[in-house]
Amino acid sequence: MKTILPHNALSLEKSRPGRRGVRFEQAEKHASAYLPEAYLRKSVPKLPELSEFETVRHFTRLSELNYCLDGEFYPLGSCTMKYNPKAYDVLSALPGFANVHPLAPESAVQGTLEALYGLQELLKKVTGLAAFTLQPAAGAHGELTGILTARAYHDARKDFKRTEVIVPDTAHGTNPATAHMAGYTVVNIKSAPDGRVDKEALQQALSDKTAVVMLTVPNTVGLFETDIREIADRVHKAGALFYLDGANFNALAGLVKPADMGADLMHLNVHKSFAAPHGGGGPGAGPVGAAAHVAPFLPKPMVELKNGKYTLSGKMPKSLGKMKAFFGNIAVCLRGYCYLRQFDGQTFRQIAENAVLNANYVRAALKDKFNAFFDCICMHECVLSINPAEMNGVHTSDIAKRLLDYGFYAPTIYFPLIVPEAMMVEPTETESKQMMDAFVDAMEQIYTEIQTEPQTVKDAPHSQCVCRIDEVSAAREPNLRW
Ligand SMILES: Cc1ncc(COP(=O)(O)O)c(C=O)c1O
């Protein structure tokens, strides 16, 4: 009887005894001659037995199941996936970098240290801050590093009563989570109707218990604080430190310097702003910069240049210590270094301006159909929303799923929390007008469907290998086996 396997059959189902690719038996014998008898297998491993073609097709098919930036537009607000030059992958994987042993003596890794030093210096230049640590392995890890650095600063001044961290409701979710994890009481303040910090609410929350005020810039509704200097002054007057979450610094680089905005501490996401890939949970890098009065408390060691040699300085008596084994995620930092070297100077301004222009292009094109919640010029991302009562009962999640049928990844949805039925779109600076027009066109077609055949949108996606699932059962009774 013929067995017709579906094209998505498991490799184990396709397996047939003895089937295999090219084999170099002489070489195998030769290799096993070098292995001690005790380490040689006694039986054949239970792996699928496939021809080379079957194996290649299997993995090619798997690689295509995942939506990726190399395939299509990825408008996911807040968790940007932007252009990551492939050349930087090659450069960061050069054997001189990739094969370095983490315990190698400084004299043997001068090239790597030079690149890391260069990154520290370029980050200082683009932010105006006095020092940077490259240790944090992600944005949220950078926040934790920043908050612990702030604590070390207050402790050194014997200012132990500062137990609160103020976080506006437009902050990224990791900000309050970090403050809580570091043992602080989170004081949440509501933002003003224009989506920016309510200065009166901030003033009321500030006290001699405030350790840090954390501000996401641009905030999660894609807006820049118009009165940031005044906010910084109020924070400093209360004796607190001003922390900026600069994960989306691609909207600001070359336009403003955080030091001029009064920042005492700030993290940047190399894997968002400076070209390392983001998504899939990392790895990332979240360097933290500090103003001169806070810099001595940053983690150690840092890379220093002394008498023409790069060296790891552990001589930082006030440092909070180490935040990560060795020197951070070097391969990610190296990509950021390449990017900063390549685009240093005037080009940064153009990058930031393009990020802002692209987000506003999408916002202006869609705001009449998908309410732009804060109808004003935004920064690198725009927040759209809908009222399901006026949309034949269609919800934001339905639109997100329908976009998959049009070949687009969904924007971030239901975030920021302060916007009902939010859709957060971040085109990034590297997408073309044609691509954004195609996205806008898909959104407009979905809008028409909502008016004429809403059920099509409610039942979407129709073209994926897995379509509408029972989300409650999927969460409560997940069936994770084939
Ligand atoms: C504004 C902001 N802050 C913090 C983070 C957290 O960064 P990570 O995911 O690297 O921990 C993100 C994530 O993208 C972010 O957009």
Side-chain angles (χ1 to χ4, degrees):
M1 204 178 79
K2 275 192 205 160
T3 321
I4 312 283
L5 285 172
H7 76 286
N8 59 353
L10 297 180
S11 55
L12 278 168
E13 293 170 301
K14 289 181 190 158
S15 172
R16 292 292 176 273
R19 212 174 263 178
R20 57 186 65 251
V22 162
R23 237 184 127 165
F24 300 97
E25 289 183 22
Q26 286 295 359
E28 279 171 33
K29 272 191 208 137
H30 192 65
S32 55
Y34 285 95
L35 284 173
E37 181 65 27
Y39 296 119
L40 292 180
R41 286 182 184 280
K42 303 284 174 286
S43 56
V44 180
K46 287 188 183 136
L47 294 173
E49 296 186 65
L50 301 172
S51 70
E52 184 167 332
F53 248 154
E54 284 167 325
T55 312
V56 171
R57 284 176 190 156
H58 176 75
F59 286 108
T60 305
R61 194 183 64 78
L62 284 187
S63 76
E64 286 168 354
L65 282 181
N66 212 356
Y67 193 98
C68 64
L69 190 64
D70 284 343
E72 292 296 341
F73 181 46
Y74 205 98
L76 196 72
S78 187
C79 290
T80 339
M81 286 285 283
K82 60 178 219 171
Y83 172 58
N84 311 119
K86 301 289 180 254
Y88 301 166
D89 292 344
V90 176
L91 291 174
S92 67
L94 285 175
F97 292 128
N99 296 340
V100 161
H101 192 283
L103 295 175
E106 287 170 11
S107 59
V109 290
Q110 283 293 299
T112 302
L113 292 181
E114 181 181 351
L116 297 179
Y117 180 82
L119 177 58
Q120 286 175 190
E121 292 303 302
L122 286 166
L123 291 174
K124 278 158 63 176
K125 184 174 165 196
V126 75
T127 58
L129 293 168
F132 262 89
T133 170
L134 306 179
Q135 276 182 31
H141 196 207
E143 290 168 37
L144 185 65
T145 304
I147 293 296
L148 295 182
T149 305
R151 175 186 286 156
Y153 167 85
H154 289 306
D155 285 356
R157 296 157 58 93
K158 307 222 179 313
D159 196 351
F160 299 119
K161 62 186 173 308
R162 297 188 180 269
T163 53
E164 293 178 353
V165 172
I166 298 178
V167 185
D169 61 5
T170 50
H172 193 266
T174 47
N175 294 188
T178 296
H180 177 75
M181 215 177 138
Y184 285 99
T185 304
V186 179
V187 179
N188 217 281
I189 52 168
K190 276 200 172 312
S191 42
D194 66 355
R196 297 181 168 92
V197 168
D198 182 333
K199 281 179 278 164
E200 283 327 298
L202 172 68
Q203 195 59 55
Q204 277 177 18
L206 281 167
S207 73
D208 60 1
K209 287 206 234 153
T210 313
V212 182
V213 173
M214 290 181 95
L215 209 65
T216 303
V217 284
N219 68 19
T220 59
V221 282
L223 301 180
F224 186 66
E225 296 297 337
T226 36
D227 297 321
I228 197 144
R229 249 331 311 195
E230 192 188 332
I231 294 171
D233 289 346
R234 290 185 187 209
V235 173
H236 291 146
K237 216 168 154 200
L241 292 180
F242 192 34
Y243 184 98
L244 297 184
D245 174 337
N248 296 302
F249 197 58
N250 57 326
L252 303 175
L255 291 173
V256 282
K257 287 194 176 181
D260 298 338
M261 303 193 283
D264 299 304
L265 283 158
M266 177 180 211
H267 83 266
L268 305 169
N269 278 22
V270 174
H271 49 294
K272 294 182 76 181
S273 299
F274 302 130
H278 183 269
V288 175
H293 56 292
V294 191
F297 303 92
L298 285 172
K300 63 179 181 182
M302 281 187 184
V303 189
E304 281 184 359
L305 178 59
K306 271 191 193 153
N307 307 326
K309 294 254 181 309
Y310 295 95
T311 167
L312 288 164
S313 162
K315 286 194 205 104
M316 291 173 62
K318 295 181 181 167
S319 163
L320 68 91
K322 243 176 181 299
M323 284 301 289
K324 176 136 181 23
F326 307 113
F327 322 117
N329 281 333
I330 289 187
V332 181
C333 291
L334 288 171
R335 288 174 173 89
Y337 175 62
C338 295
Y339 187 79
L340 278 150
R341 282 287 301 264
Q342 187 154 10
F343 295 109
D344 187 19
Q346 193 56 22
T347 335
F348 264 132
R349 191 187 179 98
Q350 205 183 326
I351 288 172
E353 284 174 352
N354 281 353
V356 173
L357 180 66
N358 285 1
N360 280 286
Y361 183 78
V362 171
R363 182 187 61 83
L366 291 175
K367 70 177 180 146
D368 292 337
K369 297 190 168 70
F370 301 95
N371 171 27
F373 200 74
F374 298 104
D375 196 7
C376 58
I377 297 288
C378 60
M379 296 295 288
H380 61 300
E381 58 196 359
C382 65
V383 180
L384 307 169
S385 72
I386 55 162
N387 179 356
E390 294 165 5
M391 290 276 192
N392 286 324
V394 166
H395 288 263
T396 282
S397 55
D398 302 319
I399 297 173
K401 289 183 198 299
R402 185 66 178 138
L403 268 170
L404 301 175
D405 290 333
Y406 283 89
F408 291 104
Y409 196 80
T412 297
I413 55 171
Y414 299 106
F415 184 80
L417 301 176
I418 61 168
V419 177
E421 299 284 333
M423 283 178 277
M424 194 185 205
V425 183
E426 179 168 4
T428 79
E429 60 274 17
T430 38
E431 288 295 346
S432 67
K433 180 175 174 299
Q434 288 87 334
M435 184 49 87
M436 287 185 295
D437 283 339
F439 176 74
V440 167
D441 185 60
M443 288 290 279
E444 284 173 341
Q445 287 191 52
I446 294 173
Y447 181 82
T448 307
E449 287 172 354
I450 294 172
Q451 318 305 319
T452 54
E453 41 171 330
Q455 203 55 42
T456 307
V457 183
K458 289 181 193 173
D459 292 342
H462 303 275
S463 58
Q464 305 298 305
C465 55
V466 176
C467 291
R468 202 44 86 119
I469 53 168
D470 174 350
E471 286 174 12
V472 177
S473 304
R476 297 217 170 136
E477 299 157 37
N479 176 2
L480 304 175
R481 303 196 64 161
W482 185 258

